């Protein structure tokens, strides 16, 4: 008897170079001419710097969490290419609905690093006023959605949002991120179905990073791929090497342009690998072999792009070092500023529940303000 | 002034708002061509087209999830859930997303929408077409919950709800849909959210009700009047945030209170109302507060009239409470 695991093609780092998976950057750093989006060199360097910046911030935030200075971080180690490549493919008037692992996309959109760090600290300058745990940011001025923790809820929302944008006569497109684990959620199936029926201008960005906390991708689905799930919903499905920023850019850009032309939604399966834990609360050594991680390090998206840039002669170790120092100094200043800021005010706890403060919240606010203070604030 | 039943009044409110504001859209199962299984949206599809009266795929979570997206973009969606009993696939969207968007985004995003859904029993609907899940929504911070009892209130409250910047659950007592007719003004008028109405004044005992049970409470008030008991009847209209001032003022006058609702007793909204009365008017109470509610069982089919807190159960509760001597 065939088990479910056997019908699923084994997904290895090499599988990202498979024929049905679009890639651009070869192992030796050369580009496949037939798929190369032929971006200006400065654009590719911007991608690279953004990916490196994302990784440095990840590392530093993890350190801050270990030191007890922030409560939590959910990072994108190893997934920088699919996050930055897809974010870069969105036009300025398009919208991004995040999952929770895409702070790189938020910063790409111009969200100030200081404001992001303020969110990590939940201080008085945090956009969400300290109401959510770290990495649950909102960035409406940057055409960026709002992070919530329940899995998949943003997917149907992106569909309605895109539908509304089209109804208002715009050609704005919405991209929506989620992990491959979320393809098991109600919201994924409902969102895909509604998108197909409504012909919504949405690009579904599935980061297939192989692990939903401790559950491997072959336990999420009996399908051979995640991209093929689009077919049954009338949604175009494509696979891309998500550790290849140029390939990701190309595939997502094409999906955005199709959606903008009214040609409907696309599901993009971005094959990547979560090199780190699910979050700072997770230790992946408990459930996966270190060998597997080491294999995937060979396709590290940053190293791959760097190989390409070094082959071109536009990047080298001294530039890398100088850039790292620049980002670290920038982040250090933001952290120092964030730590010096006040907490959100006590009374702000009651704001924004309703448009206007109703009687029962006025009453409870008075009780809080007039009552004893908690000890041991974190 | 035309006479309308509840269905017609709600339909009229939707029409008025859809004519006034192109951002108002209706979506749900069967709301389009057929005008809803209760015909509440009848005629809207013909007038406003399939892009504003949207027949959605059959998935409540998708109806509310896409409505969230529309609201975030700046539209005013009015999603219909065909029966409140079927709202639970959308519960995550409603309590985790709709209710929390303004708060969790620090006020950057708002999620104005009116989720219309028929509630209540007495229509031979059995368990899955009869329930009253209001307390499950009242308990979640960020939601306004409305339940009108009559056509005039329904129209004015629905127009206010659609114009509100907050998300609102609009529960429609389906037993009343075609049972009550009254004069309803044409065109645009609003009634304030959060305001209850004393529909019958009295001095001996306060009875608090809403939706279909309001009429049972009124019938009992008439019945006990014949026995010399003067009951004051309050129609809450907005369940949450509740009009606490009207309740407290009445209880301070009568010293006695009976709360009526169809939902099961345990953790029903009556429990919260009773706590508020005790917190705010304890020293005015002259008798133990009483709840007359659905039983703590699933909603039954054949015996539904024994399940519901109808006149036959409200009347003795009023008499006992009004005549209570410590």
């Amino acid at each position: 008897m065939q088990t479910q695991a056997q019908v699923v093609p084994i997904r290895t780092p090499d599988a990202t170079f498979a024929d049905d998976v679009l890639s651009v950057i070869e192992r030796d750093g050369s580009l496949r001419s037939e798929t190369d989006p032929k971006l200006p060199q400065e654009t590719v360097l911007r991608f690279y710097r953004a990916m490196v910046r994302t990784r440095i911030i990840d590392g530093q935030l993890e350190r801050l969490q270990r030191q007890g200075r922030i409560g939590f971080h959910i990072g994108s180690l190893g997934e920088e290419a699919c996050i930055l490549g897809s974010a870069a493919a969105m036009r300025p008037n398009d919208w991004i609905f995040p999952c929770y692992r895409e702070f790189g996309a938020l910063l790409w959109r111009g969200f100030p690093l200081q404001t992001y760090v303020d969110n990590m600290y939940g201080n008085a300058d945090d956009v969400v006023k300290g109401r959510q745990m770290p990495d649950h940011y909102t960035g409406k001025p940057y055409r960026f959605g709002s992070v919530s923790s329940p899995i998949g809820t943003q997917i149907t929302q992106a569909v309605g949002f895109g539908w509304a944008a089209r109804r208002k006569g715009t050609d704005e497109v919405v991209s929506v991120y989620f992990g491959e684990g979320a393809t098991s959620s109600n919201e994924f199936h409902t969102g895909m179905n509604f998108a197909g029926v409504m012909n919504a201008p949405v690009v579904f960005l599935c980061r297939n990073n192989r692990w939903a906390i401790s559950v491997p991708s072959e336990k999420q689905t009996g399908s051979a791929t995640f991209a093929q799930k689009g077919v049954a919903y009338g949604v175009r499905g494509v696979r891309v090497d998500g550790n290849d920023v140029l390939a990701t850019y190309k595939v997502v850009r094409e999906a955005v342009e199709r959606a903008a032309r009214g040609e409907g939604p696309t599901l993009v399966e971005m094959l990547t690998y979560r090199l780190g834990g699910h979050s700072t609360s997770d230790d992946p050594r408990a459930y996966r072999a270190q060998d597997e991680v080491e294999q995937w390090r060979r396709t590290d998206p940053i190293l791959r792009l760097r190989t390409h840039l070094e082959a071109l002669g536009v990047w080298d170790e001294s530039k890398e070092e100088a850039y790292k120092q620049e980002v670290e100094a920038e982040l250090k200043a933001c952290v120092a500023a964030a730590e010096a800021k006040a907490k959100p005010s006590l009374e702000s706890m009651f704001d924004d529940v309703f448009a206007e403060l109703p009687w029962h919240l006025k009453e409870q606010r008075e009780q809080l303000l007039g009552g004893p203070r908690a000890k041991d604030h974190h | 002034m035309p006479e309308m039943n509840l269905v017609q009044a709600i339909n009229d409110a939707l029409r008025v708002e859809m004519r006034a504001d192109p951002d108002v859209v209706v979506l749900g199962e069967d709301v389009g061509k057929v005008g809803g299984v209760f015909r509440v949206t009848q005629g809207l599809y013909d007038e406003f087209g399939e892009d504003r009266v949207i027949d959605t795929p059959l998935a409540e979570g998708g109806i509310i999830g896409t409505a969230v997206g529309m609201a975030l973009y700046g539209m005013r969606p009015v999603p219909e859930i065909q029966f409140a009993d079927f709202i639970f696939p959308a519960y995550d969207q409603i309590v985790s997303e709709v209710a929390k968007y303004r708060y969790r985004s620090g006020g950057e995003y708002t999620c104005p929408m009116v989720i219309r859904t028929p509630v209540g029993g007495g229509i031979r609907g059995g368990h899955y077409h009869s329930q009253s899940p209001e307390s499950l929504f009242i308990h979640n911070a960020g939601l306004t919950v409305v339940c009108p009892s009559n056509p005039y209130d329904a129209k004015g409250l629905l127009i206010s709800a659609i114009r509100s910047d907050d998300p609102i659950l609009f529960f429609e007592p389906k037993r009343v849909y075609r049972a009550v007719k009254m004069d309803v003004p044409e065109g645009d008028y609003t009634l304030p959210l959060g305001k209850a109405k004393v529909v019958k004044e009295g001095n001996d005992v306060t009875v608090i009700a809403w939706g279909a049970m309001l009429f049972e409470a009124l019938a009992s008030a008439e019945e006990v009047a014949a026995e010399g008991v003067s009951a004051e009847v309050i129609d809450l209209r907005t369940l949450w945030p509740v009009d606490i001032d009207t309740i407290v003022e009445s209880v301070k006058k009568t010293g006695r209170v009976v709360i009526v609702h169809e939902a099961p007793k345990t953790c029903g909204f009556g429990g919260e109302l009773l706590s508020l009365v005790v917190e705010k008017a304890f020293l005015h109470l002259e008798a133990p507060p009483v709840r007359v509610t659905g039983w703590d069982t699933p909603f039954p089919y054949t015996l539904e009239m024994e399940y519901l807190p109808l006149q036959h159960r409200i009347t003795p509760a009023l008499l006992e409470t009004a005549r209570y001597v410590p």
Side-chain angles (χ1 to χ4, degrees):
Chain A
M1 204 180 89
Q2 209 176 28
T3 69
Q4 202 174 53
Q6 283 170 321
V7 297
V8 179
I10 296 163
R11 299 189 185 98
T12 67
D14 293 328
T16 59
F17 290 89
D19 286 343
D20 67 328
V21 180
L22 188 126
S23 66
V24 175
I25 310 172
E26 301 279 23
R27 288 173 206 267
D28 64 2
S30 65
L31 305 185
R32 287 188 185 185
S33 58
E34 67 274 22
T35 52
D36 180 8
K38 299 187 174 62
L39 294 169
Q41 208 169 75
E42 182 45 40
T43 305
V44 181
L45 276 166
R46 268 189 76 206
F47 290 179
Y48 181 74
R49 283 192 292 264
M51 288 162 66
V52 169
R53 185 172 183 239
T54 303
R55 184 165 293 187
I56 293 170
I57 294 167
D58 254 333
Q60 297 286 339
L61 292 178
E62 190 170 319
R63 194 163 306 140
L64 290 173
Q65 193 277 336
R66 297 292 184 244
Q67 292 169 353
R69 290 158 76 185
I70 58 174
F72 176 81
H73 176 55
I74 187 155
S76 49
L77 186 66
E79 300 179 51
E80 295 90 348
C82 72
I83 291 168
L84 271 302
S86 53
M90 305 307 290
R91 304 162 306 163
N93 62 328
D94 294 327
W95 294 78
I96 294 176
F97 274 42
C99 166
Y100 42 53
R101 208 181 284 289
E102 297 91 9
F103 75 90
L106 180 70
L107 297 177
W108 177 267
R109 280 263 151 154
F111 194 84
L113 182 61
Q114 182 66 60
T115 314
Y116 173 59
V117 176
D118 288 338
N119 174 258
M120 299 306 296
Y121 279 87
N123 63 29
D125 284 351
D126 175 12
V127 169
V128 304
K129 305 180 186 175
R131 290 167 184 162
Q132 292 218 74
M133 66 195 296
D135 281 316
H136 288 56
Y137 30 75
T138 295
K140 192 177 182 188
Y142 303 89
R143 297 196 165 223
F144 199 90
S146 157
V147 176
S148 73
S149 309
I151 291 301
T153 47
Q154 74 277 21
I155 299 174
T156 48
Q157 293 172 10
V159 174
F161 195 92
W163 180 90
R166 200 185 51 183
R167 159 138 190 94
K168 292 267 200 173
T170 79
D171 78 337
E172 295 163 16
V173 173
V174 190
S175 66
V176 55
Y177 289 99
F178 48 91
E180 87 285 354
T183 64
S184 300
S185 72
N186 289 338
E187 299 289 334
F188 170 77
H189 298 284
T190 309
M192 296 284 286
N193 190 42
F194 275 58
V197 170
M198 297 168 107
N199 196 38
V202 177
V203 181
F204 298 96
L205 297 171
C206 175
R207 286 181 291 91
N208 178 5
N209 67 10
R210 317 300 159 115
W211 291 94
I213 304 188
S214 68
V215 179
S217 52
E218 58 266 27
K219 287 193 176 174
Q220 293 294 344
T221 185
S223 296
T225 73
F226 289 98
Q228 74 192 67
K229 289 171 185 282
V231 175
Y233 297 111
V235 173
R236 181 174 160 260
V238 292
R239 300 178 92 198
V240 65
D241 181 347
N243 281 1
D244 180 335
V245 71
L246 300 181
T248 304
Y249 175 90
K250 181 186 169 71
V251 164
V252 176
R253 184 68 179 205
E254 195 179 310
V256 168
E257 285 167 0
R258 290 175 70 107
R261 289 195 300 266
E263 292 168 22
T266 300
L267 167 62
V268 183
E269 178 183 355
M270 306 185 292
L271 288 102
T272 182
Y273 189 80
R274 198 193 74 206
L275 287 173
H278 165 72
S279 71
T280 50
S281 309
D282 177 41
D283 180 0
R285 288 173 302 184
Y287 51 78
R288 71 182 182 190
Q290 196 55 29
D291 280 2
E292 179 185 300
V293 181
E294 292 310 322
Q295 275 189 49
W296 277 95
R297 282 193 195 282
R298 291 194 286 117
T299 67
D300 184 315
I302 291 181
L303 290 182
R304 267 173 82 186
L305 188 58
R306 184 172 167 177
T307 305
H308 166 65
L309 293 172
E310 287 186 349
L312 288 180
V314 297
W315 197 257
D316 57 30
E317 185 56 34
S318 69
K319 284 182 176 161
E320 179 90 7
E321 196 50 42
Y323 184 61
K324 276 186 177 170
Q325 284 182 16
E326 181 190 323
V327 175
E328 281 169 6
E330 181 194 12
L331 182 61
K332 197 174 170 189
C334 291
V335 167
E339 290 186 339
K341 291 181 183 184
K343 290 186 202 308
S345 70
L346 273 181
E347 50 268 48
S348 76
M349 195 193 298
F350 295 89
D351 296 340
D352 302 323
V353 182
F354 295 95
E356 288 171 30
L357 203 64
W359 70 267
H360 68 290
L361 291 183
K362 280 183 192 155
E363 197 177 273
Q364 290 171 26
R365 186 177 66 180
E366 290 314 305
Q367 287 167 3
L368 173 75
L369 294 177
R373 296 280 69 79
K375 294 188 183 73
D376 302 326
H377 275 289
H378 56 73
Chain B
M1 202 183 293
E3 205 175 56
M4 296 185 196
N5 63 28
L6 193 66
V7 167
Q8 292 163 328
I10 294 168
N11 180 277
D12 198 43
L14 290 169
R15 193 182 305 274
V16 165
E17 282 309 277
M18 292 184 80
R19 282 178 182 168
D21 182 353
D23 286 339
V24 177
V25 295
V26 166
L27 67 159
E29 294 153 10
D30 305 296
V31 300
K33 266 196 166 168
V34 76
V37 296
F38 287 104
R39 304 294 182 265
V40 175
T41 56
Q42 198 162 45
L44 301 180
Y45 180 93
D46 290 336
E47 180 170 348
F48 301 103
E50 64 176 359
D51 251 15
R52 291 186 68 196
V53 187
I54 306 165
D55 275 325
T56 66
L58 209 167
E60 290 78 11
I63 294 167
I64 302 302
T66 50
V68 171
M70 294 173 188
L72 298 181
Y73 197 84
M75 303 196 73
R76 296 269 165 172
V78 186
E80 175 181 302
I81 299 296
Q82 202 160 78
F83 287 84
D85 313 77
F86 305 147
I87 205 166
F88 300 107
Y91 196 60
D92 188 24
Q93 283 287 347
I94 297 171
V95 305
S96 304
E97 304 285 328
V98 173
K100 304 299 184 281
Y101 243 105
R102 180 193 292 277
Y103 192 77
R104 79 159 198 239
S105 69
E108 279 198 357
Y109 286 103
T110 57
C111 196
M113 72 168 69
V114 183
I115 301 170
R116 294 181 37 252
T117 188
V119 292
I123 51 103
R124 300 182 181 214
H127 180 68
Y128 297 108
H129 300 80
S130 302
Q131 296 170 87
S132 298
E134 64 272 0
S135 65
L136 297 172
F137 297 92
I138 294 167
H139 184 65
N140 282 278
L143 295 172
T144 298
V145 181
V146 175
C147 185
S149 67
N150 65 68
Y152 174 79
D153 285 356
K155 182 177 171 185
L157 288 168
L158 182 54
I159 291 176
S160 292
I162 293 170
R163 293 178 189 176
S164 167
D165 289 329
D166 287 320
I168 293 174
L169 269 289
F170 197 85
F171 289 126
E172 299 168 2
K174 66 177 90 76
R175 193 177 178 219
V176 183
Y177 265 156
R178 293 175 192 279
V180 175
K181 275 195 159 197
M182 64 196 290
D183 288 342
V184 174
E186 284 180 291
D188 166 10
Y189 69 92
T190 58
L191 290 174
L193 299 167
K195 291 285 173 211
K197 188 175 175 188
V198 177
V199 291
K200 180 190 170 301
E201 289 191 18
N203 297 312
D204 298 335
V205 58
T206 299
V207 53
I208 301 171
W210 58 88
M213 292 305 101
L214 194 267
F215 300 97
E216 301 293 327
L218 276 172
S220 286
E222 293 301 324
E223 194 178 348
V224 300
E227 301 202 34
V229 169
S230 164
E232 176 146 306
V233 182
I234 298 176
D235 181 355
L236 283 188
R237 305 198 294 189
T238 296
L239 306 189
W240 199 255
V242 74
D243 181 356
I244 190 67
D245 293 342
T246 297
I247 292 172
V248 169
E249 193 184 332
S250 178
V251 173
K252 282 182 175 172
K253 177 172 70 175
T254 63
R256 296 155 199 266
V257 62
V258 172
I259 298 160
V260 181
H261 63 64
E262 293 186 39
K265 184 174 188 178
T266 301
C267 285
F269 188 43
E272 187 58 42
L273 291 171
L274 192 154
S275 298
L276 288 169
V277 165
V278 168
E279 282 174 6
K280 295 180 182 299
F282 181 71
L283 295 176
H284 297 269
L285 287 175
E286 294 165 30
V290 168
R291 288 175 284 172
V292 185
T293 70
W295 308 114
D296 286 348
T297 68
F299 196 104
Y301 174 69
T302 304
L303 299 178
E304 70 173 331
M305 293 305 173
E306 297 295 341
Y307 175 91
L308 289 167
L310 304 178
Q311 183 182 352
H312 66 280
R313 286 170 57 201
I314 300 169
T315 298
L318 288 182
L319 290 174
E320 201 174 313
T321 304
R323 290 168 178 167
Y324 178 85
V325 181

